[in-house]
Every structure is written in C-alpha cells, then in structure tokens.
Amino acid sequence: MRKSSWVQDLVQTSAKPFHSYAFHVSRAAVLKSKRLDPNWSNMLNHLLAFLVLMLLSYLVIWPIYSYGSSSSIFPSKLSQQAEKMGPNSGHSEEILRVYVADLPRELNYGLLESYWTERKGRKTPMQGEEETSSARSLTGDLLPYPENPLWRQYSAEYWLLADLMTPEELRRNSVAKRVRDPAQADVIFVPFFATLSAEIQLGKARGRFRHQSGNEDYSRQRKAVDIVKNSSRWSSSEGRDHVFVLTDPVAMWHVRKEIASSIFLVVDFGGWYMEDAMKISKDGGTVDVIEHTQVSLTKDVIVPYTHLLPSLHILKNSTRDTLLYFKGAKHRHRTGLVREKLWDVLQGEPGVILEEGFPSKEGRNQAMKSMRTSEFCLHPAGDTPSSCRLFDAIASLCIPVIVSDSIELPFEGMLDYRQFCIFISVQEALQPKHLIQLLQNLSSEQKRQMRQHLADVQHHFEYENTFPGGRGLVIKDGAVSLIWKKILQKVPHIQEAISRSKRIPKGASSIPARCHCV
C-alpha cells in the first residue's frame, strides 16, 4: 500500500521545474535496488523536501539581497566610500587624475639647489638654520627642504610634488594618479615652490618684497603664472581646475588676484580675511559678514602645517605634571591680540607654564620636553588664526586647547576634532578662572580617551615618509593622501563651475568676483 503525504506532494510538485523525470526515476531506482523500508523512504522524502525548500529560498531571496546590497540598508563598498567622501563626490572610483604643469626647473627643485649652494657657502647660518647632513650627501631632486622652522612648517609644496614625481608602482597609498595628457586630468598641479621662493627673497632683501622691481620672487611668480595662463587648459577652465600650494601667508602675494579662481592649498584664511576686512572698512562697510574675493571653503583646501617636533608614541607616554603649557610670542598682531590678554589672565595660575621663545634648536628641545609632560597645550590665535603649534601638540600627545574663533582646520568632515581638542571662545577664555576650572573638571578617563584619540590621528598630519626627497610610498591616510582626497571632493564643484561659465553668452553682465564661504 503506497503511503501519501504532503511532503511527497511538495517534493513532486516543486521538483517539476528541476528535471522532475530524472529526479523520480533515480529515486525509484535507489528505492528498488536497496529495498528500503517505509521508514527509510519517509526520511529520504523529508531530506529531499528540505533541499528543495533551500533551493527555492535561495532563488527567491538572492535577487532581493542583491538589490538591497546597493541600498542604504546593505551599503556597498562604493556607497560607503561615497558617504565618507561627502556629498561633493561624483567619482565612481577614488582616483584623482593629476597633470603636472610644465614649469622650468628653476621654479621648484632648482630653487632648492640654489638655496643649498648658497647655504654651504655661508660661514654663519641664518637665524633658525641648522646644519643638515642629508643636504651634504644628496643632490638634485633629492635635496631636503630647508630645516629653518619658519620655512619648514610650510613645506607641503615639497611633499605633494614628491608624491607626483614618485614612480607609479610606489604610489599605492595615494589616490592621486599622474597623467601625461592634460585632457585626461581632473586637475592641473602647478609645481611652483611659492613658499620657498618668498622666504628666499625675504632672507635676501626683505625691504624689496612688496615691490616688483628688484624682487626675484615677483619675477618667479610672474613666470609661473604666465606659463600656466598661456595653456589651452587654463583658457577652457579659466584656471578653476589648477592647484596652487600657498601655505605661507605671503606666497604668490603679487599675483593672487590673477589666480583667484584656482584651487588654493592654504593653512588658513587669516591673511585673506584681514585684507578683505581692511578693504571693507576703508569703504565704510561692516566686517560682520565678509565676502572673500579670493578664498573659499567651497573651492580651496585647508592643509596641515608640517609639525616641527617628533611624534610621541602612545606607549612612551609618561606622567604629565603640568596642567597647561604655552610657548611662543606674547605680543602678536591682528587676531593674535588675544595672546597678551590671555597671558594676563593665566599668569600665576597653579599648573600653568607660559614661556616666550623663538623656534630655535634649543627652543624646540625645551618645547618638546614641556609638551610631553603637560596635560594640555594652549593654542591661541596669532597673526593668523592657526599655527604650527597645534600640530606639534598633536605630535606630542598634548591635548590642544584652541582659543581662536575664526580658525579653519584640515580634513574637516574626515576627522572629528572634538574627540581630541578642546574649543573655547575668546570671550569665555578671558573670564578669570573659567579656562582653568574647565580643564581641572575633566576626569582622568576623559583625558585618557582624548589622548588615545590623539594617538589615533597623529599619522593624518604626517607629511614625511622617510624616503630621500620624499620619493616613495606616502603614509597611508597621511597628510599627502588626505589632501588629494580633499581635492577629489572638489572636482564635481569645479566641473559644475566650468560648465556654468561656458554657457554665459558673450557680453553678458559679469558676476561679482567673490567667493562665498560655507
């Protein structure tokens, strides 16, 4: 007597699309050859039913999962990366195609050669200079950037160009891909060592810096701008896709208006803020809202200073007996006027050390020792809203206390500075006892967590990769890599601006030359 069950019916019905005839013939053959008893037959029926159900479930669920894997519920790697890069990212791949403008060697590595040749011929070094053994052994493009701390803090131009000059097989950690055809490029990198050019001129003849005649720096600025402006790529984009490294506040000072539409890599907007504010005040306007004429967070990139103190590993962190430490000039101009007021408020408070000093070799050694033994490092505004001091504090695992209302910071959106910095307004910081009480009220666990976050982000502000001339693998997610990623985020906005400018008919009223900060 043949037993029938819902399992057998399901097997027979569901298996029809999957070669049911062969399925049942082979099953019957097995049962006949093995002379299986009814119990074994029922077990086999259950097993086959289970396998069929699993197969059906796979065929039904897999298309839904595949579709969902690109949605917000199941984000793909590409969508995750796009989310990380922000709303400006329109690239389907994380590659920034960079063409290096063809400038004469005298505007970059030739400047280094001239500096070191002249430096070796001097019996007495200039203030802040030190003897560098690597400069004696290396030549050409592998020469190091000058050790003068006032120059070296602005050395981003050197490390970015070194990355682009590195052989492609050694550039795995960089999203920038050098292309040889400008038509294939997202951006045009202008390899002019503008900071080095300006500082060499200031060292030779400071009094001529703001004049054009007799100013070698102006001649170099003029040559660099004339070359790039005579290119077809500049004509088609009006310079919007050209990248200039202007980390020194006086870099390319004479020609900034001519390249105002380009992408500027700057440490902050302090110099431009003051220029625009003075113009508005002179015209009788208000400085509460300033429309910058040359810089904007929309098109430009804030980059880190090159820190001057060596990084401290978290495992080497030791006891920190000082509550708050500051070393620098007490009297500054512009936004730095707050320093003298802070000095008066904090001087004599228990656990607070305030020192004046110039960044000499001895001064750096003292600063390194003090930063490594202090819980917090004060970062007030100076002549500009930011300074190298912030990045020396991060390198020293000294929690930065930022008193600078108009400061802009590198890699915003990628990093959350609240995890490892303390921000306090100028108004609150100048209230007697307020800042000290704020720091004293932080628990040991809060300070430990902030210091751990400092250790976690140290490498993001590191330019130097230990290779001669910087020619080699850049630090993964280090300063060079993140700068390229920030530029990559700007590309869709740049392309939109270029497209918009091309459709404006000839003779149309011009749009006011200004950049709106967001």
Side-chain angles (χ1 to χ4, degrees), residues 351-482:
V352 176
I353 297 178
L354 306 175
E355 298 177 338
E356 285 198 86
F358 185 82
S360 61
K361 181 178 181 180
E362 294 75 18
R364 289 204 302 276
N365 289 338
Q366 178 59 40
M368 180 179 70
K369 179 181 178 181
S370 297
M371 282 190 169
R372 291 185 174 191
T373 55
S374 299
E375 292 278 15
F376 303 95
C377 285
L378 185 64
H379 180 77
D383 291 343
T384 56
S386 64
S387 72
C388 183
R389 185 177 297 100
L390 169 62
F391 304 95
D392 283 337
I394 293 173
S396 304
L397 299 180
C398 185
I399 302 170
V401 178
I402 299 176
V403 186
S404 181
D405 293 348
S406 58
I407 194 171
E408 298 293 351
L409 296 168
F411 316 138
E412 291 270 24
M414 296 177 172
L415 304 177
D416 185 356
Y417 281 84
R418 296 170 302 172
Q419 293 182 333
F420 52 89
C421 294
I422 293 175
F423 294 88
I424 182 169
S425 68
V426 170
Q427 181 182 7
E428 288 189 327
L430 293 179
Q431 296 176 15
K433 306 291 185 181
H434 181 82
L435 177 56
I436 298 302
Q437 291 176 356
L438 174 67
L439 301 181
Q440 290 175 337
N441 288 336
L442 290 174
S443 67
S444 298
E445 178 59 20
Q446 286 175 308
K447 290 183 286 188
R448 187 200 67 77
Q449 290 181 3
M450 295 187 78
R451 208 170 319 281
Q452 182 60 58
H453 283 307
L454 281 175
D456 294 340
V457 302
Q458 277 181 330
H459 68 287
H460 294 316
F461 306 106
E462 189 68 62
Y463 284 101
E464 302 188 36
N465 59 0
T466 72
F467 289 93
R471 305 288 184 88
L473 196 67
V474 299
I475 298 170
K476 185 176 181 181
D477 289 331
V480 170
S481 179
L482 293 190

Side-chain angles (χ1 to χ4, degrees), residues 79-99:
S79 63
Q80 288 175 337
Q81 186 60 50
E83 182 179 355
K84 288 181 181 179
M85 292 176 60
N88 289 333
S89 175
H91 277 50
S92 59
E93 54 182 342
E94 193 178 317
I95 295 177
L96 178 70
R97 290 168 285 273
V98 183
Y99 177 79

Side-chain angles (χ1 to χ4, degrees), residues 339-354:
R339 285 194 186 181
E340 189 170 352
K341 298 177 181 178
L342 270 175
W343 203 287
D344 294 337
V345 170
L346 297 174
Q347 186 70 48
E349 289 287 347
V352 176
I353 297 178
L354 306 175

Side-chain angles (χ1 to χ4, degrees), residues 197-198 200-202 205-222 253-254:
S197 176
I200 289 176
Q201 176 63 40
L202 288 168
R206 177 176 292 271
R208 301 302 306 170
F209 182 79
R210 294 189 180 272
H211 301 276
Q212 295 183 3
S213 62
N215 185 340
E216 295 178 4
D217 177 44
Y218 169 72
S219 299
R220 290 188 286 264
Q221 294 177 39
R222 186 75 269 153
W253 188 79
H254 290 278

